[in-house]
Amino acid sequence: MTMQNTQFFTRNLLGRDFVVGDIHAQHTAFMLALREVRFDFAKDRVFSVGDLIDRGPQNKLATQLLAQRWFFAVRGNHEQLVLDQFAPERVILRDRAHLTPRESHIKSDGHWFFELTPTEQRWYYRQFKALPYFIEIDSDAGRVGLCHAGVPAEFTDWQTMKAKSVSREIREAVLRNRSANSQNNAISGIGVTVHGHTGFKDIKQVNNSFWIDTFKKSGKITLLELNDLFARARRL
């Protein structure tokens, strides 16, 4: 179900749950990561921090993951760039106020999208329009919260941030902020939080928050089991 832009998932009683960093049209690399952990497609689940598209060559294959019963994703800023071509919802970024939605997407490696037919473009719109801003997953160790870019720096409580996401500016910040470089406090109201957007060579951890967008700087997609997240958080 969805509520306040959030999709909730109960504990997986059959298999394991994983989080995956930004895939960015690298479907082959993602499938390799699944193979390395011996992913069970009948029992396990994967939760994505968003940005399935752009930068890589396999945009359609990456987007088709959303049709799989074992794969779920929050909205990333690159999915929003597609949505903006049809019904712009976000506030205009200060550094892109002079750009049209088309120009903004091209600037973010989205040139491929404008080589598609209108029918093909609308297919992507339909895939992305229902993506939530937040996902919460119950696990044996506690609750995991996902949003794309991170909890904006002005918040230290997950539930407060979600409540404030009725504001378009907060939703914009959830998709585009760089809190990985400024967050110092633990986030209350949730067990651990997981994000992408800001690239690192390895997993970036600040208290109980994790940033797992590693492909651009390391060539490897990060795939982590939820229990491993809590183990890392406890080691601090």
Side-chain angles (χ1 to χ4, degrees):
M1 63 179 292
T2 58
M3 181 182 298
Q4 295 182 334
N5 298 315
T6 305
Q7 192 169 8
F8 299 94
F9 292 86
T10 58
R11 194 171 307 179
N12 187 348
L13 301 178
L14 298 176
R16 300 169 296 169
D17 283 343
F18 295 85
V19 289
V20 65
D22 303 31
I23 292 174
H24 277 307
Q26 300 289 349
H27 182 269
T28 299
F30 172 55
M31 298 308 289
L32 177 60
L34 293 180
R35 191 178 311 141
E36 288 177 350
V37 298
R38 299 187 178 184
F39 187 82
D40 186 332
F41 292 92
K43 298 179 180 179
D44 298 339
R45 302 184 297 192
V46 176
F47 297 91
S48 162
V49 295
D51 278 5
L52 302 177
I53 58 168
D54 297 337
R55 297 184 180 164
Q58 298 171 308
N59 289 285
K60 188 167 187 178
L61 283 172
T63 302
Q64 286 173 331
L65 290 167
L66 294 171
Q68 301 300 321
R69 58 172 296 278
W70 48 267
F71 186 90
F72 308 92
V74 294
R75 180 182 307 204
N77 63 299
H78 285 261
E79 284 77 45
Q80 186 65 51
L81 286 166
V82 167
L83 298 175
D84 285 350
Q85 308 311 313
F86 299 91
E89 192 273 342
R90 286 163 50 197
V91 296
I92 297 175
L93 300 174
R94 290 193 184 98
D95 63 340
R96 295 193 181 185
H98 61 293
L99 300 178
T100 65
R102 177 190 176 105
E103 291 168 338
S104 187
H105 195 185
I106 290 173
K107 186 178 177 71
S108 298
D109 300 308
H111 55 86
W112 63 275
F113 183 78
F114 302 98
E115 298 168 2
L116 304 176
T117 67
T119 298
E120 291 170 325
Q121 290 179 344
R122 284 200 167 273
W123 178 82
Y124 283 93
Y125 169 77
R126 291 195 300 273
Q127 310 314 305
F128 299 151
K129 67 179 181 179
L131 290 179
Y133 286 87
F134 311 103
I135 280 178
E136 293 185 12
I137 315 136
D138 281 332
S139 74
D140 291 338
R143 180 167 285 199
V144 179
L146 273 66
C147 64
H148 178 59
V151 176
E154 63 263 39
F155 296 103
T156 58
D157 180 77
W158 176 262
Q159 302 303 331
T160 301
M161 175 201 63
K162 288 203 308 168
K164 295 290 187 180
S165 70
V166 294
S167 161
R168 295 172 72 176
E169 297 219 8
I170 298 303
R171 292 198 298 275
E172 172 65 30
V174 165
L175 294 179
R176 301 257 335 183
N177 81 81
R178 297 292 181 185
S179 59
N181 298 317
S182 60
Q183 183 174 311
N184 296 311
N185 300 310
I187 304 300
S188 62
I190 197 78
V192 297
T193 75
V194 190
H195 318 286
H197 189 57
T198 302
F200 295 97
K201 190 171 183 180
D202 201 356
I203 298 164
K204 167 81 170 182
Q205 180 180 357
V206 180
N207 295 302
N208 62 332
S209 295
F210 297 84
W211 284 263
I212 60 172
D213 177 13
T214 57
F215 187 83
K216 184 177 181 180
K217 294 195 174 182
S218 73
K220 186 177 177 65
I221 288 178
T222 289
L223 186 70
L224 280 177
E225 193 172 350
L226 297 197
N227 289 338
D228 186 27
L229 286 171
F230 282 96
R232 288 169 178 260
R234 286 193 296 268
R235 285 200 290 269
L236 277 186

